[in-house]
Amino acid sequence: MATNEATTKRRALISVSDKAGVLDFARDLAAAGWELLSTGGTLQALTVAGIPATSVAEVTGFPEIMDGRVKTLHPNIHGGILARRDAANAGAHLAELAAHSITPIDLVCVNLYPFRETVEKGADFESVIENIDVGGPAMIRAAAKNHASVLVLVDPTDYGLALQPSVSLPDRQRLAAKAFAHTAAYDAAIAAHLNESAELPAQLTLELNQLKGVELRYGENPHQPGAVYRVGSQQGPVLDAQVLSGKPMSFNNYGDTDAAWALVQEFPVHTAACVCVKHANPCGVALGASAKEAWERARDADTLSVFGGVVALNRPVDLETAQAMRGTFLEVLIAPEISTEALEWFQAKKPDLRVLRAGPSKFSATEFRPLSGGLLAQTRDLRSWDDLCPEVVTLRQPTESEWADLAFAWRVTKHARSNNVVLARAGVTVGVGAGAVSRIWAAERAVQNAGEGAQGAVMASEAFFPYDDVVRLAASVGVVAVLQPGGAKRDPEIIVAANELGVSMVFSGSRHFRH
């Protein structure tokens, strides 16, 4: 039948691992005249609660076997679920049911063994395997296929719908779509776990769940709808951040904040670091003796670009740091902690500023980039400065302080869009040129941004120099040391130019394109 109306007693099969709300639901169904079928732990819970229910074993005429691996995979169950009841096909199917003494099943309420939860607890392989549900997905898919006649429920929030006098076909289709998504996500989680040793498997199935409680007004632009999804059960510092104050996060806020946090985590925790990001690129990065000093130095690195930007700190934000942000319009602030006094100040003085406490990090080493009709996938760029073997290729050696600035600038280049060139001095970016289509243009932008601050600074590039023009530009404004990966055909000419100009040059041996 096309609705939940019935002239005879209806039959519901209930078998759930997540028992939230199921007793009240079952009690209401029984009161409405439904006959209840159940299995295992669900049947026991119903019986203890005094709710009449029939064991599936009585319907199949066969006991549960193999430690419960086989209990619902039987024609008396699947025939009852899959029999069509629409006017055009009901006759033949219902006749077959009658011939085999099978009673139709009109509602299937099933959710699955806790596979993900078992994995997350660190259970042994045998326990993980035993929490792969087989009969549950089969019943869900059968009911979802026959949704015009059978209600399928996998989410406790939908239980109330089944108690209505009738359920429309659009609602039935919505429940069926949710059911197929439920089993698809479950299979994706299993495949991901069994494939975890393969970095980039031949077939990749992603479980994407829209983030609960987060509604984006739109995407990058107002004419584009937007949403936030979680990959499986992964966690992210921005994805799972607590928004302590301010307006809801936007699509662009999420992207920029994730970029800012990723960069600020590059710096050792024993040194306060601050990163200011605008349109996914760092515009001011600095180290300091305190969070306040790091913020002030990063802000002053580019006071124009920081306007409307996102700020990340690797240290807790206290009241003094918060008050130092007076007079600068910011979109987002993220830090590991925000003191009560600082939060109260933000709420009073900057009520629109999104103030975030960073969440946990538990995500895959694989990252994705969308293509029309597909995805690019790669392992994340996790190479650190300590993994490098930098080589000085010029006569002049960098000083100790210049080495520190080269390491600092290299960390910034790793997180700026290509082509990029970064100038730094005394633990602060004095000029950033990012997202340029030419390396010399990136260098010219960094130099222009630095002004007199280029004198005595170091320069870092995320990729090699094809010509000596960048080195000559750097020397002309007082840059004293240059870091680049090396590997260009003209490296010998570029080294000669650096020696001629008295500039130190270091080859990192590691490129860091970021497009």
Side-chain angles (χ1 to χ4, degrees):
M1 51 190 175
T3 71
N4 200 26
E5 298 166 347
T7 55
T8 60
K9 194 163 189 177
R10 295 161 294 179
R11 180 175 265 192
L13 193 158
I14 304 176
S15 180
V16 293
S17 291
D18 177 3
K19 294 179 174 55
V22 75
L23 294 181
D24 289 339
F25 177 51
R27 191 175 288 110
D28 289 340
L29 284 177
W34 286 76
E35 177 190 0
L36 307 184
L37 310 181
S38 193
T39 63
T42 305
L43 177 63
Q44 183 180 7
L46 296 178
T47 302
V48 170
I51 302 169
T54 299
S55 168
V56 162
E58 292 184 38
V59 175
T60 63
F62 208 92
E64 296 182 10
I65 61 173
M66 300 175 187
D67 300 317
R69 279 190 170 197
V70 180
K71 51 191 172 188
T72 59
L73 298 171
H74 193 280
N76 286 359
I77 299 299
H78 286 272
I81 296 172
L82 284 164
R84 297 184 68 164
R85 281 149 250 187
D86 56 283
N89 298 279
H93 280 204
L94 294 179
E96 285 191 74
L97 289 185
H100 296 288
S101 301
I102 298 174
T103 302
I105 294 173
D106 306 290
L107 184 152
V108 171
C109 175
V110 173
N111 53 55
L112 306 174
Y113 294 171
F115 176 82
R116 301 175 190 79
E117 295 81 356
T118 304
V119 170
E120 288 171 6
K121 288 177 182 177
D124 58 63
F125 185 76
E126 180 66 24
S127 298
V128 169
I129 293 300
E130 288 309 307
N131 275 279
I132 296 177
D133 205 329
V134 176
M139 290 188 292
I140 291 171
R141 289 176 60 82
K145 176 176 179 173
N146 201 24
H147 64 268
S149 302
V150 180
L151 280 175
V152 57
L153 302 171
V154 297
D155 183 349
T157 63
D158 292 320
Y159 289 171
L161 189 62
L163 299 169
Q164 296 179 5
S166 65
V167 181
S168 68
L169 184 58
D171 277 338
R172 288 171 174 270
Q173 289 176 340
R174 179 181 62 80
L175 292 173
K178 182 180 282 190
F180 280 120
H182 185 66
T183 57
Y186 192 77
D187 286 343
I190 295 169
H193 177 70
L194 297 180
N195 245 338
E196 63 181 356
S197 62
E199 286 183 338
L200 300 171
Q203 187 173 51
L204 186 64
T205 305
L206 293 178
E207 176 194 354
L208 298 173
N209 301 297
Q210 194 167 134
L211 210 60
K212 292 181 180 179
V214 175
E215 292 187 15
L216 301 184
R217 291 174 61 196
Y218 48 79
E220 282 186 296
N221 299 291
H223 61 276
Q224 296 172 268
V228 186
Y229 290 84
R230 181 187 305 282
V231 178
S233 59
Q234 294 184 36
Q235 296 176 297
V238 177
L239 194 70
D240 292 289
Q242 288 183 273
V243 181
L244 303 176
S245 180
K247 298 188 295 186
M249 294 280 282
S250 73
F251 185 99
N252 294 330
N253 291 154
Y254 272 103
D256 286 349
T257 307
D258 203 56
W261 186 256
L263 174 49
V264 85
Q265 292 303 294
E266 291 282 350
F267 298 102
V269 293
H270 57 75
T271 303
C274 179
V275 173
C276 302
V277 162
K278 190 73 167 287
H279 299 309
N281 272 312
C283 58
V285 183
L287 306 178
S290 64
K292 174 178 179 288
E293 183 184 24
W295 150 248
E296 290 173 335
R297 299 183 82 208
R299 174 201 61 199
D300 294 344
D302 189 343
T303 55
L304 184 63
S305 298
V306 76
F307 180 88
V310 168
V311 172
L313 284 152
N314 68 347
R315 291 282 187 86
V317 174
D318 56 16
L319 178 59
E320 186 180 25
T321 306
Q323 291 174 333
M325 295 181 182
R326 189 193 305 270
T328 303
F329 169 65
L330 299 171
E331 288 279 353
V332 183
L333 167 67
I334 183 170
E337 291 291 343
I338 312 291
S339 75
T340 301
E341 297 79 10
L343 182 58
E344 290 173 352
W345 187 88
F346 284 129
Q347 290 170 336
K349 302 297 183 181
K350 288 180 173 286
D352 290 338
L353 174 65
R354 301 159 179 90
V355 180
L356 276 60
R357 177 190 291 125
S361 294
K362 184 185 176 184
F363 48 82
S364 167
T366 304
E367 63 181 7
F368 306 97
R369 186 167 302 159
L371 293 177
S372 298
L375 290 172
L376 289 171
Q378 65 176 354
T379 57
R380 297 178 188 277
D381 184 357
L382 300 177
R383 182 166 291 172
S384 72
W385 176 259
D386 292 337
D387 295 330
L388 304 182
C389 296
E391 176 190 5
V392 181
V393 294
T394 51
L395 298 175
R396 183 184 185 275
Q397 297 279 325
T399 66
E400 184 176 347
S401 63
E402 289 166 8
W403 270 116
D405 282 336
L406 288 170
F408 170 85
W410 180 87
R411 291 181 170 97
V412 179
T413 68
K414 180 180 170 184
H415 291 267
R417 301 291 177 179
S418 300
N419 290 315
N420 79 70
V421 168
V422 174
L423 300 184
R425 186 179 61 191
V428 61
T429 54
V430 295
V432 178
V437 294
S438 165
R439 193 152 304 278
I440 187 61
W441 290 353
E444 288 171 347
R445 179 69 186 99
V447 165
Q448 180 185 15
N449 184 236
E452 294 181 0
Q455 186 70 38
V458 303
M459 171 185 282
S461 170
E462 98 288 6
F464 63 61
F465 298 152
Y467 303 99
D468 66 5
D469 49 3
V470 174
V471 176
R472 293 189 180 279
L473 173 64
S476 72
V477 295
V479 168
V480 293
V482 174
L483 176 74
Q484 56 134 321
K489 290 182 179 179
R490 292 186 172 85
D491 275 351
E493 299 173 27
I494 296 167
I495 295 170
V496 167
N499 281 327
E500 171 192 324
L501 298 164
V503 173
S504 298
M505 180 168 289
V506 179
F507 284 179
S508 68
S510 180
R511 190 184 76 183
H512 286 285
F513 274 167
R514 187 175 183 83
H515 294 101

